[in-house]
Amino acid sequence: MNTTDTSKRKWHRWLAAAIVIGALVLLYRAFDLGQVLTLAQLKASRDDLLGLYAQEPLLTSGIYFVVYVLAAAISIPGAVILTLAGGAIFGFTTGLLLASFASSAGALIAFLVARYLLRDVVQTRFSRQLAPVNEGLQRDGVFYLLTLRLVPVFPYWLVNLLMGLTTMGAVRYYVVSQLGMLPATAVFVLAGTQLAGIQSPGDVLSAGLLASLVLLGIFPLLAKWVVTRMRLKKIYAGHQPPKSFDRNLVVIGAGAGGLVTAYIAAAVKAKVTIIEGHKMGGDCLNYGCVPSKALIRCAKVAKELKQATRLGFKNVTGEIDFAAIMQRVHGVIQAIEPHDSVERYTALGVQVLEGHALITSPWHVQVTLASGHTQTLSARNIVIASGASARIPDIAGLSESGYLTSETIWQIKELPKRLVVLGGGPIGCELAQSFARLGSQVVQVESHERLLSREDPEVSQLVRTALTADGVEVLTAHQAVGVLTLDDQSHELIVRTQGQERRLPFDQILVAVGREPRVKGFGLEALGIGLTPQRTIQTNAYLQTIYPNIFAVGDVAGPFQLTHAAAHQAWYAAVNALFAPFKRFKADYRTIPWCTFTDPEVARVGLSETQAKDQGVAYTVTRYDLHELDRAIADDATTGFVKVLTVPGKDKILGAVIVGAHAGDLLAEFVLAMRFGLGLNKILATVHTYPTLAEANKYTAGQWKKAHAPQTVLAWLERFHRFRRGRPQKA
């Protein structure tokens, strides 16, 4: 999107608005409406107005309607007087129709003017603060707007302007305003029919009448509460809660989401039980983050040994002992296990049960222990954190091939000579590169047009180049259609692209095409807890299922399959479960970072350039290449870049991607900046240690500053310094 065109449109918008508002103000002053729209003037002119209405009913009605619309549109004083005038001149029925529709039309104009002039600026400037407001208005806006309209304590003109800054639709706003302002309008029109007895506008709103209108305004909220209670009663029908609960919280699953939930509950002295059916620590510790990073470390050393001559070493050799490497991988798991162990969480005050959990009611969980015995726990709240498992595609012959997944590959003892990796996502790329560096002949098959399809194309291409350099044969846009098993040790994967078939021989095949949430076997079906199209448990913004006391976090809840995202959700679920209705929070995903630990690493937070284009978000790109960074040159790690998206003309960060060594570590600075609304100027003003890779973030901010330097000011400064050079310095 062209920044210049955007600026021109904004300028034209403000100019047009200024002309319209100026014209309305001139009309207001020309007709001296401030003096006309008074109760005294209305009473003095009542007979003349009635005579005019008798002679020219349509003209009088039209003038009244237009004046009322203009008064409401530009929020000038006098709406009360005009409403009284409607009853005094036209009688109750006609006066109510004219005043009601005129006030709603004027309100809509004020609403649209505020939206046209200010909404984009306000929503952009305060996007983080307004996100929950927008979400609430989208869900319950009708109830709250109706309440504001029904209670005359709130100035209608202020409601018009503030609502124009939100995302509420104009049609919905008009309809609700038409209905909401009707009772108060009727009161004032009726009072206008008895104009002689009114000494001031305050006489219309007696204490009793005002109280009645306030109660009427609260009605929509009461109605919403009643509807919610009825819905909950229907949801919980057939389930009888216990008279008391054994514990405050039961957590199903001891992965990142479950452990953090239990930890928080124990920290605030709640009674909590966590149930795990397999291994403490979940997928991350046992099959995912921890073992894969341990393997990546070994593979990186193997690569460095091969390239040692570039660093000045001679005759460097290193024989791969794959069994020893896998032993080290398991050693790393064992070293971290105490952090997630039964002993640690028991010491923290968490009851840990090892067994299978089945939710039998919204407040009861049946646990089948390893011994075969069962027990039933009652809890005020339940958190499901059951994780995910490897997705297995429906490919003919795959099940007979003895395929591996990211869960089972850690059990192999010998390095596969020929390895096929099925999938081009983060898991597939990380493991394909690692096994290639360790000596396997790796072919990676991806059905999409490129690897890491969620990243920008340039990022995908850079990663593909790196994998190819390490010996991986990358086949994108190839569809796996079948597996042939020739004997116990020899197999072939049949792939198809553009109508052509190819056979890929392999000794082992790794299936890494994604992960599926574990949603079966926990009793969700019997309780009617629904799933999303992605097969995750359906939750609201507070991570609640259809039962407000049953929550879901982590891979089983989505939208991310990331350990730190699960931990992030766990805080919200724990707090919402333990402290609602007194306090609760909507889960905030705006600054969730993620990283693919290939070499180079790919780390990102916020919008990518592809996403910004798809969503129509205006942005400016600032890029800094690592081959210019001193520390990257010294470390022989010059592959990669830092790319930041900002609001056009501003340093506000919309997203950042880093490709390069330690990208996941370097990204934290941008995550912090986005989380707390810090722009690139703040990063530029921060002192970074020299020489470090983190300086790349500062230099990126410097690139932005250079591109946005005020050229006019600099030209004047150049003249100023030229002037000073031509004058002798005085003592």
Side-chain angles (χ1 to χ4, degrees):
M1 187 175 294
N2 190 297
T3 305
T4 303
D5 291 343
T6 303
S7 301
K8 286 182 178 179
R9 283 196 294 270
K10 289 182 178 179
W11 168 253
H12 293 159
R13 179 184 299 180
W14 281 99
L15 180 61
I19 293 173
V20 172
I21 293 174
L24 291 174
V25 171
L26 288 174
L27 287 173
Y28 178 78
R29 295 180 64 87
F31 289 97
D32 201 14
L33 293 179
Q35 295 298 320
V36 174
L37 297 178
T38 64
L39 183 60
Q41 184 65 37
L42 174 62
K43 296 175 73 172
S45 306
R46 180 174 181 271
D47 292 340
D48 293 337
L49 292 171
L50 284 172
L52 180 62
Y53 177 57
Q55 296 176 13
E56 299 286 348
L58 292 179
L59 178 62
T60 306
S61 300
I63 292 174
Y64 172 83
F65 188 87
V66 171
V67 170
Y68 202 136
V69 169
L70 291 176
I74 59 177
S75 305
I76 62 174
V80 170
I81 303 302
L82 284 169
T83 310
L84 291 171
I89 301 170
F90 308 107
F92 178 74
T93 302
T94 303
L96 179 59
L97 287 173
L98 289 171
S100 175
F101 282 98
S103 61
S104 298
L108 179 61
I109 293 173
F111 169 89
L112 293 174
V113 168
R115 169 158 297 182
Y116 184 72
L117 290 180
L118 298 173
R119 186 181 69 167
D120 291 346
V121 175
V122 172
Q123 289 286 344
T124 300
R125 176 66 180 83
F126 303 101
S127 58
R128 185 168 61 86
Q129 295 88 340
L130 289 175
V133 176
N134 292 331
E135 185 179 345
L137 286 172
Q138 186 69 25
R139 186 179 62 253
D140 301 319
V142 169
F143 290 102
Y144 292 112
L145 177 58
L146 195 56
T147 297
L148 293 174
R149 286 309 195 193
L150 286 168
V151 182
V153 172
F154 299 99
Y156 288 156
W157 65 268
L158 183 60
V159 175
N160 299 336
L161 299 179
L162 291 180
M163 285 296 175
L165 304 179
T166 71
T167 57
M168 176 173 283
V171 174
R172 175 182 293 185
Y173 179 80
Y174 174 80
V175 172
V176 175
S177 296
Q178 182 72 53
L179 295 174
M181 291 191 291
L182 189 61
T185 303
V187 169
F188 279 93
V189 171
L190 181 62
T193 62
Q194 309 296 321
L195 186 63
I198 301 174
Q199 301 303 317
S200 72
D203 294 341
V204 179
L205 290 179
S206 64
L209 180 58
L210 186 60
S212 299
L213 288 174
V214 170
L215 289 175
L216 185 61
I218 296 174
F219 176 77
L221 299 182
L222 292 176
K224 179 179 180 292
W225 181 82
V226 171
V227 170
T228 300
R229 298 303 301 175
M230 293 176 63
R231 182 177 63 85
L232 292 178
K233 185 176 181 180
K234 182 178 181 181
I235 290 172
Y236 283 107
H239 301 289
Q240 187 64 35
K243 294 181 179 179
S244 62
F245 299 95
D246 300 332
R247 50 199 41 79
N248 301 95
L249 194 64
V250 165
V251 182
I252 300 174
L259 290 175
V260 174
T261 302
Y263 180 95
I264 294 171
V268 296
K269 304 305 179 183
K271 188 173 182 181
V272 55
T273 296
I274 191 167
I275 304 167
E276 173 53 53
H278 191 34
K279 292 183 177 182
M280 295 288 287
D283 297 330
C284 179
L285 171 63
N286 298 288
Y287 313 116
C289 313
V290 172
S292 65
K293 302 314 164 283
L295 183 71
I296 287 171
R297 169 63 178 143
C298 296
K300 185 175 182 179
V301 171
K303 174 68 175 290
E304 290 175 344
L305 289 173
K306 295 175 183 177
Q307 296 184 336
T309 54
R310 295 175 55 183
L311 302 178
F313 293 90
K314 291 182 179 181
N315 303 322
V316 175
T317 59
E319 184 179 348
I320 302 277
D321 185 344
F322 186 74
I325 288 174
M326 295 303 286
Q327 185 177 0
R328 177 186 178 274
V329 168
H330 289 284
V332 171
I333 295 173
Q334 292 169 7
I336 297 176
E337 274 179 342
H339 302 168
D340 301 338
S341 64
V342 173
E343 293 75 16
R344 184 192 179 209
Y345 276 81
T346 300
L348 290 171
V350 178
Q351 180 189 25
V352 181
L353 297 178
E354 298 181 77
H356 176 75
L358 178 68
I359 305 173
T360 56
S361 89
W363 304 278
H364 294 92
V365 178
Q366 178 182 291
V367 186
T368 303
L369 303 174
S371 62
H373 293 90
T374 62
Q375 64 180 100
T376 299
L377 314 176
S378 66
R380 180 173 289 276
N381 294 283
I382 299 169
V383 175
I384 304 169
S386 51
S389 58
R391 178 181 295 116
I392 308 303
D394 184 15
I395 298 175
L398 180 62
S399 58
E400 291 79 26
S401 67
Y403 63 85
L404 300 170
T405 69
S406 57
E407 298 170 6
T408 60
I409 196 168
W410 312 111
Q411 305 307 317
I412 64 175
K413 304 298 184 182
E414 297 180 0
L415 180 70
K417 182 178 180 181
R418 299 171 301 177
L419 175 67
V420 167
V421 176
L422 202 57
I427 295 174
C429 288
E430 289 178 7
L431 294 180
Q433 185 178 47
S434 294
F435 275 92
R437 287 181 166 187
L438 293 173
S440 294
Q441 298 175 14
V442 180
V443 180
Q444 186 175 13
V445 178
E446 167 58 46
S447 59
H448 288 91
E449 294 294 327
R450 54 190 177 88
L451 302 177
L452 301 178
S453 57
R454 294 184 179 181
E455 305 296 340
D456 289 335
E458 62 179 327
V459 175
S460 299
Q461 183 56 51
L462 197 153
V463 171
R464 178 172 185 153
T465 300
L467 266 62
T468 301
D470 284 322
V472 180
E473 183 181 359
V474 179
L475 302 178
T476 53
H478 280 66
Q479 188 70 42
V481 295
V483 175
L484 298 177
T485 299
L486 306 179
D487 54 53
D488 292 341
Q489 300 298 323
S490 184
H491 316 270
E492 290 181 346
L493 174 67
I494 303 173
V495 295
R496 182 180 297 137
T497 182
Q498 298 179 348
Q500 301 294 318
E501 284 192 357
R502 177 180 170 185
R503 295 188 178 188
L504 306 174
F506 65 87
D507 303 307
Q508 296 278 11
I509 184 170
L510 169 64
V511 178
V513 294
R515 298 177 61 75
E516 290 183 343
R518 294 190 183 100
V519 294
K520 296 186 180 298
F522 299 101
L524 304 183
E525 302 88 347
L527 288 174
I529 296 177
L531 303 179
T532 69
Q534 292 74 37
R535 306 297 296 169
T536 56
I537 295 176
Q538 197 165 34
T539 61
N540 62 13
Y542 302 97
L543 299 173
Q544 296 168 301
T545 65
I546 59 169
Y547 298 95
N549 69 307
I550 300 180
F551 298 77
V553 300
D555 291 359
V556 77
F560 303 98
Q561 292 186 343
L562 302 166
T563 297
H564 49 277
H568 179 71
Q569 288 179 322
W571 183 90
Y572 290 96
V575 171
N576 291 341
L578 297 172
F579 296 104
F582 309 107
K583 191 66 177 176
R584 63 177 190 163
F585 300 89
K586 295 178 181 178
D588 184 355
Y589 302 126
R590 286 167 295 170
T591 54
I592 297 290
W594 59 88
C595 182
T596 300
F597 293 90
T598 49
D599 185 7
E601 294 180 5
V602 176
R604 179 159 65 89
V605 63
L607 288 176
S608 69
E609 194 170 357
T610 301
Q611 289 175 327
K613 290 177 181 177
D614 292 343
Q615 297 175 23
V617 177
Y619 66 92
T620 299
V621 174
T622 303
R623 175 176 171 137
Y624 177 79
D625 292 306
L626 295 182
H627 66 74
E628 299 179 11
L629 185 66
D630 293 358
R631 181 57 186 269
I633 295 171
D635 285 354
D636 196 24
T638 56
T639 300
F641 57 85
V642 178
K643 183 170 68 172
V644 179
L645 273 60
T646 52
V647 174
K650 298 183 179 180
D651 71 335
K652 180 179 179 180
I653 303 169
L654 298 172
V657 59
I658 303 177
V659 182
H662 299 286
D665 301 315
L666 300 179
L667 187 71
E669 188 168 18
F670 290 112
V671 178
L672 178 72
M674 291 184 65
R675 177 66 180 83
F676 294 102
L678 306 178
L680 289 180
N681 280 315
K682 292 292 192 298
I683 293 178
L684 181 61
T686 302
V687 179
H688 292 67
T689 306
Y690 177 86
T692 60
L693 294 174
E695 283 187 296
N697 296 342
K698 178 175 182 176
Y699 290 141
T700 305
Q703 294 280 77
W704 179 89
K705 190 72 171 180
K706 181 179 178 181
H708 293 80
Q711 298 302 323
T712 302
V713 174
L714 291 177
W716 279 104
L717 287 175
E718 183 180 15
R719 293 170 186 164
F720 169 72
H721 291 303
R722 187 188 310 127
F723 168 76
R724 297 196 72 188
R725 289 197 301 271
R727 295 175 59 88
Q729 183 175 359
K730 294 182 179 180

